C-alpha cells in the first residue's frame, strides 16, 4: 500500500472519530449508538496503521484483494446498521401509537368530567 494511501486512511479515520465524538459531546448522538461508529473508526485506524493482517485475513477468506474484503465488510456493517435502525424505528412507532391512544383516552375522560 502506498504511503499516501496510508496517510489518507489514517486521516479519514481520525476525522470520523473526531466527528463522532463531537456529535456525542453536543448530545446530537447518544453514546450507545456512537459506540459502533467509534469501534469502526478504531478498527479502520488499526488496519491503516498495520495493513499486513488485513492482507492475511482477506487471502484466508479467498478474496483477490484486501479492498474487496473491506468492501464486503463495509456492506455487512451497513446492513447491520440499517437493521438496528429499522428495529429502533419499529419500537418507537409502537411507542408513539401507544402514547397517542393513551392521550386520546385521557382527553375523553377529561371531557366527560368537564361535562359533569
Amino acid at each position: 500500500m502506498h504511503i499516501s494511501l496510508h496517510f489518507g486512511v489514517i486521516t479519514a479515520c481520525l476525522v470520523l472519530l473526531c466527528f463522532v465524538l463531537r456529535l456525542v459531546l453536543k448530545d446530537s448522538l447518544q453514546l450507545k449508538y456512537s459506540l459502533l461508529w467509534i469501534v469502526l473508526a478504531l478498527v479502520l485506524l488499526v488496519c491503516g496503521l498495520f495493513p499486513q493482517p488485513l492482507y492475511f485475513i482477506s487471502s484466508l477468506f479467498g478474496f483477490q484483494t484486501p479492498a474487496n474484503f473491506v468492501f464486503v465488510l463495509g456492506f455487512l456493517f451497513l446492513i447491520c446498521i440499517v437493521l438496528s435502525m429499522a428495529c429502533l424505528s419499529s419500537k418507537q412507532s409502537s411507542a408513539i401509537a401507544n402514547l397517542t391512544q393513551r392521550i386520546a383516552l385521557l382527553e375523553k375522560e377529561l371531557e366527560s368530567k368537564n361535562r359533569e
Side-chain angles (χ1 to χ4, degrees):
M1 191 182 306
H2 197 269
I3 191 72
S4 63
L5 187 56
H6 276 286
F7 182 71
V9 168
I10 292 168
T11 303
C13 291
L14 291 175
V15 167
L16 175 64
L17 194 58
C18 289
F19 183 69
V20 170
L21 291 175
R22 183 172 171 244
L23 287 175
V24 170
L25 290 175
K26 288 176 46 178
D27 287 334
S28 297
L29 182 64
Q30 291 181 359
L31 185 62
K32 64 182 177 181
Y33 301 121
S34 68
L35 292 177
L36 191 61
W37 292 105
I38 292 171
V39 168
L40 172 70
L42 292 176
V43 167
L44 289 176
L45 184 64
V46 169
C47 288
L49 291 172
F50 310 107
Q52 295 308 323
L54 185 63
Y55 285 102
F56 174 74
I57 294 170
S58 65
S59 66
L60 188 68
F61 284 112
F63 288 93
Q64 295 294 324
T65 63
N68 292 343
F69 180 63
V70 170
F71 284 131
V72 168
L73 285 180
F75 182 70
L76 292 175
F77 178 76
L78 291 177
I79 286 175
C80 290
I81 288 175
V82 167
L83 182 61
S84 69
M85 290 297 136
C87 290
L88 179 66
S89 174
S90 179
K91 186 188 288 186
Q92 287 180 344
S93 177
S94 296
I96 289 170
N98 189 10
L99 287 173
T100 304
Q101 291 170 353
R102 284 180 159 184
I103 289 172
L105 289 172
L106 287 173
E107 285 178 347
K108 185 174 182 179
E109 184 179 318
L110 184 63
E111 185 179 302
S112 66
K113 283 187 178 183
N114 284 342
R115 285 184 188 166
E116 293 174 1

